[in-house]
Amino acid sequence: MSRASASTLTPPRALPAWLWLVLTRLLLAAVFVALWTFAASRMPSFVLPGPEKVWRALVALTRTASFGHDVGMTTYRVAMGFALAALVGTPLGLALGSSRALARVFEPVLAVTNTVSSAIWAVFAIIWFGISNATTIFVVFMTAMPLILTNVWQGARNVEKQHIDLARSLRFSGTQILWRIHLPSILPYFFSGARLAFGFGWRVSLVAETLGSSDGIGYRLRQAADLVQTDQVFAWTLLLVALMLALEGGILKPLERHLFRWKPH
């Protein structure tokens, strides 16, 4: 790599790394807004509203009586579905990773759950649960759980056998081996799957709420689309993305950094 190309990949020495990261992301956001504004100026507003119009729509939405309830319900459903996926997927992944016999039996089941789309799960959920919170929670669960399970399974398979043999020679119990050997080994895999599952969970919640809810961000999105209120569709979408990034950056990433603070950066 030449000196010129290498210098473009590293921040200037005068700026701290975090400030360089903030500035580059702000620049990226500015470029995105500029391109959006340019495209919107050449299209009808009902097709592509500009950033200013979408911002006004978002501010108006925050002043409605149902705004807090809709945001709260969507957040609750995603959080519940994600938590259930972690509670079920993690022990199942550990079990499959530690037992080849179980893995051979249940591998086809996992392949099926990974293949079925969230829209199909939403249809099944409506049939089984009707218009209720359980519909969205179930869809988020069925989308996130296989992702967490698969990553934890791979992590459990990569546990060093010599570490387990050493623990057994030191007369560690099965529980001690699980907590001291398996768990630290699978944590990076768990967080990798959890972050992926969390992002997918937010997206599929829109599908589920659009089809099987009477409130929430997905329901309001469908309502705005039916009335051709494109600015509100964009506003709700941007709000959902902002919530997802805020929760991931405010909870998952700090927790991951805290648990792996011993690792060299």
Side-chain angles (χ1 to χ4, degrees), residues 102-122:
L102 279 177
R104 284 195 296 268
V105 172
F106 288 100
E107 190 171 5
V109 178
L110 185 60
V112 171
T113 55
N114 276 318
T115 302
V116 179
S117 72
S118 57
I120 296 175
W121 289 126

Side-chain angles (χ1 to χ4, degrees), residues 11 15-30:
L15 292 176
W18 67 268
L19 181 56
W20 176 254
L21 179 63
V22 170
L23 290 175
T24 52
R25 289 184 175 178
L26 287 175
L27 178 61
L28 182 63

Side-chain angles (χ1 to χ4, degrees), residues 148-196:
I148 295 176
L149 191 158
T150 302
N151 276 52
V152 172
W153 177 13
Q154 293 302 318
R157 288 178 60 186
N158 289 329
V159 174
E160 294 288 344
K161 187 176 183 300
Q162 60 189 13
H163 293 166
I164 299 176
D165 293 339
L166 178 61
R168 285 173 178 164
S169 69
L170 295 173
R171 300 184 182 277
F172 279 25
S173 66
T175 304
Q176 288 176 316
I177 292 175
L178 177 65
W179 281 99
R180 297 188 182 185
I181 307 297
H182 280 90
L183 191 60
S185 299
I186 68 155
L187 273 178
Y189 295 88
F190 169 79
F191 274 99
S192 176
R195 289 174 63 178
L196 185 63

Side-chain angles (χ1 to χ4, degrees), residues 13-252:
R13 294 182 179 179
L15 292 176
W18 67 268
L19 181 56
W20 176 254
L21 179 63
V22 170
L23 290 175
T24 52
R25 289 184 175 178
L26 287 175
L27 178 61
L28 182 63
V31 171
F32 171 76
V33 172
L35 291 174
W36 180 7
T37 303
F38 175 78
S41 66
R42 279 155 176 73
M43 294 184 185
S45 60
F46 68 88
V47 175
L48 182 62
E52 185 179 353
K53 187 172 183 180
V54 172
W55 175 255
R56 288 199 302 267
L58 180 58
V59 171
L61 288 175
T62 60
R63 295 171 178 168
T64 59
S66 62
F67 176 79
H69 173 76
D70 290 322
V71 173
M73 289 308 299
T74 297
T75 305
Y76 163 75
R77 291 162 182 158
V78 173
M80 284 297 296
F82 177 77
L84 289 173
L87 289 174
V88 173
T90 302
L92 285 180
L94 279 171
L96 295 182
S98 59
S99 172
R100 292 184 178 180
L102 279 177
R104 284 195 296 268
V105 172
F106 288 100
E107 190 171 5
V109 178
L110 185 60
V112 171
T113 55
N114 276 318
T115 302
V116 179
S117 72
S118 57
I120 296 175
W121 289 126
V123 172
F124 286 146
I126 291 171
I127 295 172
W128 295 333
F129 307 114
I131 307 298
S132 67
N133 288 337
T135 296
T136 303
I137 292 172
F138 175 79
V139 175
V140 174
F141 169 79
M142 291 304 300
T143 303
M145 188 272 292
L147 295 172
I148 295 176
L149 191 158
T150 302
N151 276 52
V152 172
W153 177 13
Q154 293 302 318
R157 288 178 60 186
N158 289 329
V159 174
E160 294 288 344
K161 187 176 183 300
Q162 60 189 13
H163 293 166
I164 299 176
D165 293 339
L166 178 61
R168 285 173 178 164
S169 69
L170 295 173
R171 300 184 182 277
F172 279 25
S173 66
T175 304
Q176 288 176 316
I177 292 175
L178 177 65
W179 281 99
R180 297 188 182 185
I181 307 297
H182 280 90
L183 191 60
S185 299
I186 68 155
L187 273 178
Y189 295 88
F190 169 79
F191 274 99
S192 176
R195 289 174 63 178
L196 185 63
F198 188 70
F200 272 103
W202 274 103
R203 289 194 286 273
V204 301
S205 69
L206 292 184
V207 177
E209 288 184 340
T210 297
L211 298 175
S213 293
S214 57
D215 52 14
I217 294 176
Y219 172 75
R220 298 300 175 189
L221 262 171
R222 185 191 68 188
Q223 204 175 46
D226 290 343
L227 298 173
V228 200
Q229 296 172 329
T230 316
D231 54 343
Q232 290 193 20
V233 173
F234 273 75
W236 281 117
T237 304
L238 289 177
L239 175 66
L240 187 75
V241 171
L243 281 172
M244 182 183 72
L245 293 176
L247 289 173
E248 182 182 352
I251 297 177
L252 287 180

